Amino acid sequence: MLDTVGPELRVLNKSEKPIALEADATVTLTPDTSMEASSEVLPINYANLAQAVKQGDTIFVGQYLFTGSETTSVWLEVVETKGQDVICCVKNSATLAGSLFTAQASQVHIDLPTLTESDKEAIATWGVRNSIDFVSLSYTRHAEDVRAVRAHLSKYGDLNQTQIFAKIENVEGLKHFDEILQEADGIILSRGNLGIDLPPEKVFLFQKAAMYKCNMAGKPAVVTRVVDSMTNTPRPTRAEATDVANAVLDGADAILLGAETLRGLFPVDTISTVGKICSEAEKVYNQSVYFKKTVKFVGEPMSHLESIASSAVRAAIKVKASVIVVFTSSGRAARLIAKYRPTMPVLSVVIPCLTTNQLRWSFTGAFQARQCLVIRGIFPMLADPRHPAETTNATNESVLKVAMDHGKAAGIIKPHDRIVVCQKVGDSSVVKIIELEE
């Protein structure tokens, strides 16, 4: 995943000397980047801040995103603007250390492009070299932002298969959430930034509403900023542990760790702890309520694929199947089955497709298989391209055997288990139940 910088306000500290700010002192934010950063002046990379803010607005500045507890970030209140300078009152004492700090003005529109020149360069070099599966689009504010990035990715051969996850970080993104969700492949709820743009008491409401909308659309929802205290301590607080569990119960597909693993002292413990909490929460996830809610939301008449997916999940639950095996080329069928959150794993067998543009042949499949990894409950595997998906029963049996063997090796399929298989035979989609012998 490549994470873009986006239209981020930054304070530049060329000398890298720590800057001590005292509560109730005055500090000036200026677009004049030739000035030296000090406790009186902070140069920023944006010339129009004075036009964007008004008296009483709040601006946060810090090297990392702000939890409110650390002494490395400061809260400023705009007193007045003079030309391009913004004069602020410091609300808390803090020391800014390092060469670069993030600044965020609460509920203020910043008219910088969502995909910056440095982002484009990163995609063209590092992104192409590493065949990135996802672009995490910071500060997504409109559906148009996602469309523009998709058009940009299509210039780079294989990257036209890269999925775009819209990062919702401010009120502007929340206002256009529905249209962004329609356009993006998934959503990252960046709660650190949202907690600055929104009053803290409103964050949970938007989190739950956004998660519900992602679930009903069958698109992955990713939650950030869950165990901040584990940056410096080996155990999370009780509130954080409950927060992780609630994210799982609300329907999150993935948890994205940030400072805890980037600069934290206990990165491995963090991953292990969050993983354990997630698996405990999954054990008590009320799948039947969720299934009814999703079917009701989709409504009738259902589309052909939606009907097959929900039927496969219903059949698997009724016969207490140990796994659902689905054959897919784009990953769409597997995603639709996962949308109904079956209680058993979904083994997604991605069948590669051979495509040509008259100049060269290429396989699609590896991207689709890897991209399924971000979706809750799916275990993807890439099939041998010599066994096409839409074919007579005989060859698919051999792919099915490979999938079964994989399931047995992974310990999710045992003798005498029942398995639900969802596959295409000719033009028809078929759901069948297999009972294993030995």
Side-chain angles (χ1 to χ4, degrees):
M1 178 184 271
L2 183 144
D3 189 4
T4 65
V5 175
E8 187 172 77
L9 294 185
R10 289 168 168 193
V11 174
L12 313 168
N13 177 16
K14 283 181 268 188
S15 70
E16 298 195 25
K17 289 178 187 154
I19 299 165
L21 296 168
E22 293 297 323
D24 301 324
T26 302
V27 66
T28 303
L29 299 179
T30 178
D32 182 358
T33 50
S34 64
M35 292 189 79
E36 198 68 46
S38 69
S39 49
E40 285 85 43
V41 178
L42 296 175
I44 55 167
N45 66 338
Y46 181 53
N48 299 335
L49 187 64
Q51 285 80 48
V53 296
K54 60 185 186 305
Q55 189 183 351
D57 278 352
T58 52
I59 298 172
F60 288 82
V61 179
Q63 190 174 0
Y64 302 104
L65 288 179
F66 329 92
T67 60
S69 62
E70 64 227 31
T71 54
T72 56
S73 57
V74 69
W75 178 37
L76 309 174
E77 188 177 300
V78 177
V79 178
E80 59 172 327
T81 57
K82 275 189 187 166
Q84 288 190 310
D85 291 353
V86 179
I87 294 146
C88 304
C89 173
V90 180
K91 303 303 277 184
N92 65 298
S93 299
T95 301
L96 303 177
S99 60
L100 210 60
F101 321 114
T102 308
Q104 182 155 338
S106 184
Q107 300 206 18
V108 169
H109 172 73
I110 304 298
D111 56 354
L112 289 171
T114 305
L115 199 65
T116 62
E117 289 308 312
S118 64
D119 290 333
K120 286 178 181 172
E121 193 185 331
I123 288 169
T125 52
W126 193 88
V128 170
R129 201 164 56 241
N130 291 283
S131 298
I132 48 170
D133 300 300
F134 305 102
V135 166
S136 153
L137 187 58
S138 297
Y139 298 99
T140 307
R141 295 167 286 186
H142 303 273
E144 189 46 53
D145 296 341
V146 182
R147 284 192 283 271
V149 176
R150 213 179 286 289
H152 184 74
L153 289 171
S154 64
K155 297 177 193 169
Y156 300 103
D158 281 351
L159 294 196
N160 61 2
Q161 300 173 69
T162 299
Q163 289 188 350
I164 299 168
F165 275 39
K167 243 176 162 180
I168 305 297
E169 313 202 43
N170 53 23
V171 169
E172 215 174 333
L174 285 173
K175 274 184 190 148
H176 305 111
F177 185 83
D178 293 353
E179 59 191 66
I180 291 170
L181 177 60
Q182 224 171 345
E183 201 62 47
D185 298 297
I187 296 285
I188 297 174
L189 282 169
S190 187
R191 301 189 309 171
N193 288 16
L194 271 177
I196 292 164
D197 236 27
L198 285 172
E201 67 274 16
K202 297 217 187 246
V203 176
F204 85 96
L205 198 57
F206 284 106
Q207 176 181 327
K208 284 184 184 288
M211 208 100 80
Y212 173 76
K213 285 176 177 176
C214 290
N215 288 170
M216 294 303 120
K219 291 188 176 178
V222 181
V223 175
T224 68
R225 301 306 298 256
V226 287
V227 286
D228 284 327
S229 70
M230 286 193 79
T231 309
N232 300 314
T233 57
R235 296 185 65 184
T237 64
R238 268 79 61 213
E240 287 172 334
T242 307
D243 183 35
V244 174
N246 279 329
V248 174
L249 298 177
D250 286 345
D253 284 81
I255 303 280
L256 181 67
L257 298 171
E260 308 95 320
T261 47
L262 166 72
R263 60 185 170 100
L265 306 178
F266 304 96
V268 178
D269 292 339
T270 303
I271 293 168
S272 146
T273 304
V274 171
K276 282 180 201 157
I277 300 168
C278 289
S279 77
E280 282 300 314
E282 280 180 356
K283 287 177 195 168
V284 295
Y285 185 71
N286 194 332
Q287 195 277 337
S288 59
V289 166
Y290 179 86
F291 185 86
K292 286 179 193 138
K293 201 162 64 175
T294 313
V295 169
K296 189 178 172 190
F297 180 87
V298 171
E300 290 173 1
M302 268 186 178
S303 72
H304 178 78
L305 265 175
E306 198 91 51
S307 150
I308 293 286
S310 57
S311 303
V313 174
R314 184 180 271 123
I317 288 163
K318 291 273 190 254
V319 302
K320 291 194 164 49
S322 61
V323 69
I324 299 172
V325 178
V326 55
F327 293 97
T328 177
S329 52
S330 65
R332 188 166 168 228
R335 283 198 296 273
L336 271 178
I337 287 175
K339 171 180 169 178
Y340 290 92
R341 296 278 191 258
T343 47
M344 63 292 296
V346 178
L347 203 54
S348 163
V349 183
V350 179
I351 314 280
C353 287
L354 192 58
T355 56
T356 178
N357 60 0
Q358 305 300 317
L359 294 171
R360 69 189 190 109
W361 290 86
S362 61
F363 274 120
T364 61
F367 269 91
Q368 288 75 3
R370 289 197 304 266
Q371 284 162 344
C372 282
L373 284 165
V374 81
I375 297 161
R376 180 163 162 178
I378 297 187
F379 295 82
M381 54 186 289
L382 195 57
D384 187 321
R386 288 166 300 187
H387 300 309
E390 298 172 30
T391 179
T392 58
N393 239 358
T395 35
N396 259 4
E397 294 303 336
S398 61
V399 182
L400 183 57
K401 186 178 181 309
V402 174
M404 298 286 200
D405 292 344
H406 179 74
K408 284 173 188 166
I412 51 177
I413 300 175
K414 296 177 197 67
H416 309 295
D417 273 355
R418 288 173 178 169
I419 286 156
V420 168
V421 180
C422 188
Q423 68 183 117
K424 262 195 158 177
V425 177
D427 289 336
S428 316
S429 295
V430 177
V431 174
K432 60 183 180 183
I433 299 162
I434 299 172
E435 197 151 345
L436 295 182
E437 281 138 23
E438 286 307 320

